[in-house]
Amino acid sequence: MRKLLVLVGVQGAGNTTVLKRFSSGTVLKPSTTRPRRSPTEDEYHFEQSWNDPDYAWKIARGRHAYGMRWSELRSIEYLGMTVFDPASLQTLKASPARTEFEIVTIGLDTVSTLAEQHARVGNDKTRSITLTDFDSQCA
């Protein structure tokens, strides 16, 4: 069975850094309907529309959707890796992708305090989380 490694950690924990260094398989690119933060941002497929059957899962954050295309998942030959929102692990657990892939979650516990999380995301209000969310996601 093909394997999917899923990195979970609060924003700023280093998920993207780990993905960039992964060389043992396929790095998967999630999709989102949110706009790019910069012209060179490329960690997502930026979607103009969303058709639920095209995606293995969907996470709603505000007005935007995040998820993974089935076509992206099916590009895995043996081992793939992606990132996932730790606050939405129930969505991953409920995904029909579990029937096609052995899914292994890997928690990145690299951020010790809320102040550190805010600093790691450059105090960007759209990426900073609350203390309640920080405690929940770390747990």
Side-chain angles (χ1 to χ4, degrees):
M1 180 176 265
R2 293 174 291 175
K3 293 182 184 176
L4 175 62
L5 305 178
V6 179
L7 300 174
V8 294
V10 298
Q11 288 182 317
N15 297 336
T16 302
T17 301
V18 172
L19 276 181
K20 287 179 180 177
R21 294 183 178 157
F22 180 67
S23 61
S24 299
T26 305
V27 174
L28 304 180
K29 190 183 285 195
S31 294
T32 184
T33 59
R34 77 157 172 78
R36 294 177 192 271
R37 291 189 182 111
S38 74
T40 59
E41 182 181 19
D42 71 345
E43 71 182 275
Y44 293 98
H45 293 289
F46 292 93
E47 309 292 355
Q48 299 302 310
S49 62
W50 195 275
N51 182 28
D52 284 342
D54 293 338
Y55 299 88
W57 58 77
K58 176 183 175 183
I59 299 168
R61 293 188 81 193
R63 298 176 297 130
H64 304 295
Y66 292 79
M68 183 63 66
R69 293 177 181 169
W70 277 110
S71 60
E72 191 81 8
L73 283 169
R74 291 180 177 140
S75 73
I76 297 172
E77 291 181 30
Y78 174 70
L79 182 64
M81 182 182 279
T82 192
V83 298
F84 202 86
D85 176 15
S88 302
L89 282 174
Q90 286 306 110
T91 300
L92 180 63
K93 290 178 182 177
S95 170
R98 290 201 158 286
T99 62
E100 292 188 37
F101 301 89
E102 177 184 350
I103 299 176
V104 178
T105 56
I106 302 168
L108 297 182
D109 187 16
T110 62
V111 180
S112 301
T113 66
L114 183 63
E116 183 179 3
Q117 190 275 328
H118 289 184
R120 289 215 188 164
V121 299
N123 291 309
D124 180 341
K125 298 284 186 211
T126 64
R127 300 184 68 219
S128 297
I129 58 177
T130 66
L131 181 58
T132 301
D133 288 341
F134 178 80
D135 290 341
S136 174
Q137 291 178 28
C138 288

